[in-house]
Amino acid sequence: MPDSNLPDYLHLSYRSDLAVVFLRWTRPATSAEHREGYRTGLVLARREQAGRWLIDLRSRGLADPTDLQWLLEEFRVELKAALPGIPRRLAYLTTPYHADILRPRLAEYDHDPTNSTQLRVFTEEQLAQQWLQHG
């Protein structure tokens, strides 16, 4: 169920039937909004013990490289600490153009092979949800 107290740049919900947190950006976000949006999602994920997220970037676009680095290096540590022992998967839903940019960026910044939080980029929501459930 969506939270009506969220800022205008974020739609956040949890579907218990899928055990997935949906984080949908509604517009481009500042660096502070980017980080606050993920941390708001983390509160919901912790409450529901949900390690699977579908993050819709289609209305927002991509984060700048500094914010992507923060996500990969700091936020994933926070996510792991908040959900110990729970498989964590982040599926990014983007436009095809942004997918072609994001995939190599993830490879460039994601240097920790021991990280147990998996990330994938998708251009179709159904494929993202299938990966979250079965991948």
Side-chain angles (χ1 to χ4, degrees), residues 92-108:
Y92 286 93
L93 183 59
T94 69
T95 64
Y97 173 76
H98 284 140
D100 290 342
I101 295 169
L102 184 56
R103 285 184 184 112
R105 278 191 187 173
L106 287 177
E108 176 185 345

Side-chain angles (χ1 to χ4, degrees), residues 112-131:
D112 186 355
T114 65
N115 192 305
S116 58
T117 301
Q118 297 177 26
L119 301 121
R120 295 285 188 285
V121 178
F122 297 89
T123 58
E124 296 179 36
E125 187 161 343
Q126 183 177 6
L127 294 176
Q129 288 188 26
Q130 287 174 350
W131 176 76

Side-chain angles (χ1 to χ4, degrees), residues 24-86:
R24 298 186 190 272
W25 300 91
T26 62
R27 63 166 172 78
T30 67
S31 181
E33 290 170 342
H34 169 86
R35 294 172 191 218
E36 184 60 29
Y38 277 94
R39 289 194 171 120
T40 300
L42 185 57
V43 170
L44 176 61
R46 183 182 292 125
R47 182 176 71 223
E48 301 296 341
Q49 291 295 286
R52 295 183 299 220
W53 294 33
L54 189 139
I55 303 163
D56 188 345
L57 301 176
R58 293 174 298 178
S59 293
R60 190 195 98 179
L62 301 180
D64 69 42
T66 302
D67 287 328
L68 178 61
Q69 187 171 3
W70 169 84
L71 173 81
L72 295 171
E73 294 177 1
E74 295 180 37
F75 179 75
R76 285 202 305 191
V77 171
E78 293 177 38
L79 183 62
K80 183 177 181 177
L83 303 169
I86 294 175

